[in-house]
Amino acid sequence: MDKKTILLKAYDCDSGREAIEAAGRILREGGIAAIPTETVYGLAGNALDPAATAKIYEAKGRPSDNPLIVHIAAWEELAPLVRRVPREAELLAAAFWPGPLTMILPKAPLVPDTTSGGLDTVAVRMPRDPVARGIIRAAGVPLAAPSANRSGSPSPTTWRHCVDDLWGRVDAIVESHDCQVGVESTVISLCPGPDGKTQPRLLRPGAVTLEQLREALGEVAVDRGVLERLPEGAVVHSPGMKYKHYAPAADVILVKGNSAAYGEYLKEHRAPGEYAMCFEEDLPLAGEPALSYGAAADHAAQAARLFDLLRELDRLGAKRVYVHAPQVDGVGLAVYNRLIRAAGFQIVEAEEKTEIQP
Ligand code: AMP
Ligand code: MG
């Protein structure tokens, strides 16, 4: 691939006005562009134009059965994309839109099969990032925007990550802030069950937490793929969850257990030069080389640093990395969900050897 890529600078809607208009024009005319959102950078194209979405799959090197999320800038833009807007969608939009939450609903004929990956449902999100919404408005069409990385590599959370992965493969890259959230949106299905009633089901955890969704809706089921590897041949409700994903070149091993157990595990198993990716508090126990991805209790910081650190490990030439697993409450569930995929499901339980006397 050898496309002419331009860099457009838009750190806010005032100083970036011209860049936002230029990106909108490229997208309206069928081109593709990497754009900032609060979750990760997205590789955007007109969601209603199969030729544009084909370009997205090609630039990413992504399997085309993997559906794309459709990004809108205003509530009224949802109705034409779906067959019906259930009460649950209104409740969630009131609480979390604009923001890092994607809703899956039965799709209207307007949405091409190439966008929904052949499914009869569509994923829709309204991003909070003002530059993202400015670009959607300037384009005048809903934008399909999967993460702006080459398929398989960690999602991009800075404009430089997009340049590393997509320069020469897309029409434009929008230079803007680092992503605040750092992991992809929470995905919830609001499709009806056999009785016609909406059955809320969490397909991918993100910054809008399971606890928050349950507060808004009551019962919310959790898809098996959120916390574990799906067995061969299982029904996959969220196609993105079946691949090894977000992975650096290094061999990643996810280590569960408290700080002391993690430290002991490293002492026993790590060969010279192998990395620890750990919490701030682990650093005194983790030896060298070690990188911290935030305090153990600060899941938001872990999410914000996660993908940049995975890329950093590649830059450092790490061959093997022992990552200390986060707790799975709140945003920790999203961090854990990405890490088990980055580790290709290599997960170990570390046990503390020394008895602690009360
Ligand atoms: P992203 O890479 O952030 O664009 O994530 C897209 C992911 O959202 C896909 O890989 C799926 O896991 C999920 N998704 C999108 N559309 C659907 C859909 N119609 N049904 C189920 N999951 C979907
Ligand atoms: Mg992705």
Side-chain angles (χ1 to χ4, degrees):
M1 260 201 159
D2 199 13
K3 253 182 197 291
K4 184 175 179 319
T5 303
I6 59 170
L7 195 62
L8 298 165
K9 202 181 207 167
Y11 283 86
D12 61 65
C13 291
D14 292 330
S15 67
R17 175 55 36 206
E18 275 178 34
I20 289 171
E21 290 300 331
R25 202 172 320 118
I26 287 169
L27 294 165
R28 193 165 58 242
E29 290 170 358
I32 55 173
I35 66 167
T37 82
E38 72 276 19
T39 55
V40 301
Y41 273 74
L43 176 50
N46 180 352
L48 306 182
D49 174 6
T53 50
K55 289 183 197 170
I56 294 176
Y57 287 120
E58 196 191 353
K60 277 181 68 72
R62 178 178 192 155
S64 61
D65 68 337
N66 203 348
L68 305 173
I69 294 172
V70 179
H71 294 71
I72 59 176
W75 167 252
E76 306 74 63
E77 295 165 20
L78 174 65
L81 302 172
V82 301
R83 285 210 289 280
R84 192 172 80 81
V85 177
R87 168 106 188 101
E88 289 80 1
E90 288 176 18
L91 288 171
L92 292 183
F96 305 113
W97 274 7
L101 177 71
T102 296
M103 304 188 220
I104 311 272
L105 292 160
K107 86 175 183 70
L110 179 67
V111 180
D113 283 343
T114 42
T115 297
S116 64
L119 300 172
D120 63 359
T121 54
V122 62
V124 187
R125 175 165 106 85
M126 190 196 300
R128 182 172 68 207
D129 185 301
V131 173
R133 286 213 307 286
I135 293 171
I136 300 167
R137 269 192 229 102
V141 289
L143 297 179
S147 49
N149 54 316
R150 297 288 290 273
S151 198
S153 74
S155 299
T157 53
T158 73
W159 66 271
R160 284 199 178 78
H161 295 161
C162 303
V163 170
D164 290 343
D165 278 20
L166 296 176
W167 194 262
R169 304 179 70 85
V170 299
D171 299 297
I173 291 174
V174 177
E175 175 186 338
S176 190
H177 294 290
D178 295 355
C179 300
Q180 268 178 6
V181 172
V183 292
E184 302 81 352
S185 57
T186 303
V187 177
I188 186 171
S189 170
L190 296 177
C191 292
D195 60 359
K197 283 199 202 132
T198 301
Q199 292 192 321
R201 173 185 284 269
L202 179 70
L203 301 184
R204 178 174 75 183
V208 172
T209 65
L210 180 60
E211 294 85 342
Q212 288 176 306
L213 293 170
R214 285 183 171 153
E215 207 167 292
L217 295 184
E219 186 54 31
V220 175
V222 177
D223 203 70
R224 269 180 83 185
V226 167
L227 278 167
E228 53 185 283
R229 188 215 304 256
L230 292 172
E232 278 305 312
V235 179
V236 177
H237 294 289
S238 178
M241 296 281 101
K242 69 185 168 186
Y243 306 107
K244 176 165 179 181
H245 209 151
Y246 318 113
D251 186 29
V252 177
I253 296 162
L254 192 59
V255 184
K256 289 185 174 180
N258 65 21
S259 193
Y262 174 71
E264 278 176 29
Y265 189 90
L266 286 173
K267 260 191 228 139
E268 259 172 49
H269 293 86
R270 174 208 238 166
E274 294 182 342
Y275 276 79
M277 180 170 144
C278 62
F279 303 123
E280 221 70 64
E281 305 81 321
D282 300 328
L283 283 171
L285 292 169
E288 292 285 334
L291 300 170
S292 151
Y293 71 118
D298 192 350
H299 295 314
Q302 294 156 22
R305 280 193 217 166
L306 179 65
F307 290 136
D308 186 51
L309 265 193
L310 293 178
R311 283 176 182 254
E312 175 71 13
L313 287 161
D314 275 349
R315 280 191 292 273
L316 292 165
K319 299 278 183 294
R320 175 169 287 162
V321 187
Y322 296 93
V323 181
H324 194 180
Q327 298 294 316
V328 296
D329 58 315
V331 182
L333 183 61
V335 177
Y336 182 81
N337 170 275
R338 304 312 188 275
L339 281 171
I340 58 178
R341 287 172 174 77
F345 301 96
Q346 294 192 80
I347 306 167
V348 298
E349 236 15 278
E351 273 166 46
E352 206 177 345
K353 297 269 160 50
T354 41
E355 292 286 305
I356 297 170
Q357 300 298 328

